[in-house]
Amino acid sequence: MIDFSDIQAAAARLRGKAHVTPIQTCAHIDELTGARVFFKCENLQRVGAFKFRGATNAIASLSDAEAERGVATQSSGNHGQAVALAAKLRAIPAYVVMPNNVPAIKRAAVAGYGAEIIECEPTAAARDRTLDRVASETGAYVVHPYNDWRVMAGQGTAALELCEAVPDLDLVLTPVSGGGLLAGTATSVKHLVPTAQVIGAEPAGADDAWRSFRAGRRITDIKPDTIADGLRAIIGEKPFSVIRARVDDIVRVDDAATIRAMRLVWERMKLVIEPSAAVPVAALLERTIETEGRRIGVILSGGNVDLDRLPWQN
């Protein structure tokens, strides 16, 4: 189990490497929700996503002996980019297992940072099996996208910055997939603002975290079906242990609401966010969560979008 000291240590490692991303507001969204909403813009982070925080913390904390044979991971895109760049900054090899259906922009970015890409079928089992093979063949250190304490601690630094900048929040909302961001966020928020709620938002078509949270155990036998390609992973064992202890709730939204929220943020805030980042915004706009009169922080998780395949285009 991570604690707040792990997140403080991660923040120290990230200083000078990761951006302290801006916090923005939108009067129109405040009017629609009846709340005062503060958006932590991790879409403006390096590699265009919060994932750079966790990958960099994990790789920066490796010993020279651990790092010399490189690092390996599996990713639908953003974590792969983050590992590739963090490895490049440390001048070590990176191997990234990617499903063969990921958006072209994410694949190109991973390759652009110098990582070697290994394709696999788009299932959780295939991703894990291929990663095991790559790690065995190369001897690379595995930096899992979410089932890693050091990755979770790095992700928690976004909420650390948010709570330090806006210390009187009533609620902090993040997307949830494998659970690393939500677990790290809950660890920061519950230490800095103990009275604030922490809630995860998930696509209805990939609701393993929602089901697991209510069952009190991990439910993994689902086949994700959602436009939010970054939220198709199954909740991890380590993040889930933190989520059970520190998160107040997980809610679901359908893809139609996610697309509406994504478009609204593009049009009104002039921010490019990807569908995964729009999921918690949709939860607010649909009033899936009580919003009236509350001060709410939302982590906009990423902004890597294939501009040739926008979800509102025919």
Side-chain angles (χ1 to χ4, degrees):
M1 184 80 70
I2 57 171
D3 60 30
F4 186 65
S5 65
D6 297 312
I7 293 174
Q8 289 176 305
R13 290 190 193 98
L14 294 180
R15 197 166 295 123
K17 296 183 180 72
H19 298 323
V20 177
T21 52
I23 297 168
Q24 296 194 18
T25 59
C26 176
H28 182 63
I29 291 177
D30 286 354
E31 291 172 4
L32 292 175
T33 61
R36 181 71 166 145
V37 186
F38 301 86
F39 295 95
K40 178 66 169 165
C41 297
E42 287 296 291
N43 57 313
L44 302 179
Q45 184 56 262
R46 297 185 74 172
V47 312
F50 76 94
K51 293 283 192 177
F52 183 71
R53 294 176 181 268
T56 300
N57 183 55
I59 291 172
S61 64
L62 295 177
S63 68
D64 290 342
E66 289 174 316
E68 65 181 4
R69 287 183 290 186
V71 291
T73 195
Q74 54 101 339
S75 170
S76 61
N78 287 342
H79 179 70
Q81 294 178 55
V83 167
L85 178 55
K88 182 178 181 180
L89 293 175
R90 192 160 178 181
I92 60 175
Y95 308 92
V96 180
V97 174
M98 301 190 76
N100 55 22
N101 64 346
V102 299
I105 185 175
K106 294 185 177 182
R107 180 186 172 92
V110 171
Y113 289 126
E116 179 179 335
I117 297 173
I118 301 92
E119 283 195 351
C120 70
E121 291 300 310
T123 67
R127 287 164 64 149
D128 289 341
R129 185 171 59 248
T130 307
L131 177 59
D132 287 345
R133 175 178 60 80
V134 170
S136 176
E137 291 174 353
T138 63
Y141 185 92
V142 173
V143 181
H144 197 274
Y146 46 85
N147 205 40
D148 182 303
W149 300 119
R150 289 183 280 198
V151 168
M152 279 184 270
Q155 316 304 31
T157 61
L160 168 63
E161 294 170 8
L162 173 63
C163 291
E164 287 180 342
V166 190
D168 53 352
L169 293 169
D170 300 307
L171 166 65
V172 177
L173 189 62
T174 83
V176 56
S177 180
L181 176 61
L182 182 57
T185 296
T187 302
S188 285
V189 173
K190 292 300 183 179
H191 180 89
L192 294 169
V193 194
T195 58
Q197 284 187 302
V198 178
I199 296 178
E202 186 174 45
D207 65 351
D208 57 292
W210 181 87
R211 298 187 196 189
S212 299
F213 190 78
R214 278 152 180 76
R217 58 181 176 83
R218 290 172 67 238
I219 294 176
T220 61
D221 58 341
I222 73 163
K223 185 176 181 181
D225 180 15
T226 175
I227 193 172
D229 60 284
L231 303 184
R232 293 174 185 157
I234 300 299
I235 190 80
E237 181 179 355
K238 292 176 181 177
F240 187 59
S241 68
V242 180
I243 289 167
R244 286 192 67 191
R246 297 173 181 160
V247 169
D248 295 285
D249 200 3
I250 295 175
V251 298
R252 303 178 295 182
V253 296
D254 62 36
D255 278 358
T258 295
I259 293 168
R260 290 193 297 270
M262 178 179 169
R263 182 164 186 159
L264 180 69
V265 170
W266 280 47
E267 291 179 343
R268 301 305 294 252
M269 298 186 69
K270 315 307 178 188
L271 290 174
V272 174
I273 64 168
E274 60 191 89
S276 299
V279 168
V281 185
L284 293 181
L285 296 173
E286 297 296 305
R287 299 293 184 108
T288 306
I289 297 163
E290 177 58 43
T291 60
E292 196 68 37
R294 306 181 81 185
R295 293 172 62 83
I296 300 172
V298 177
I299 296 182
L300 295 177
S301 55
N304 293 316
V305 181
D306 186 344
L307 296 179
D308 293 323
R309 298 174 62 188
L310 294 177
W312 48 78
Q313 293 176 330
N314 295 326

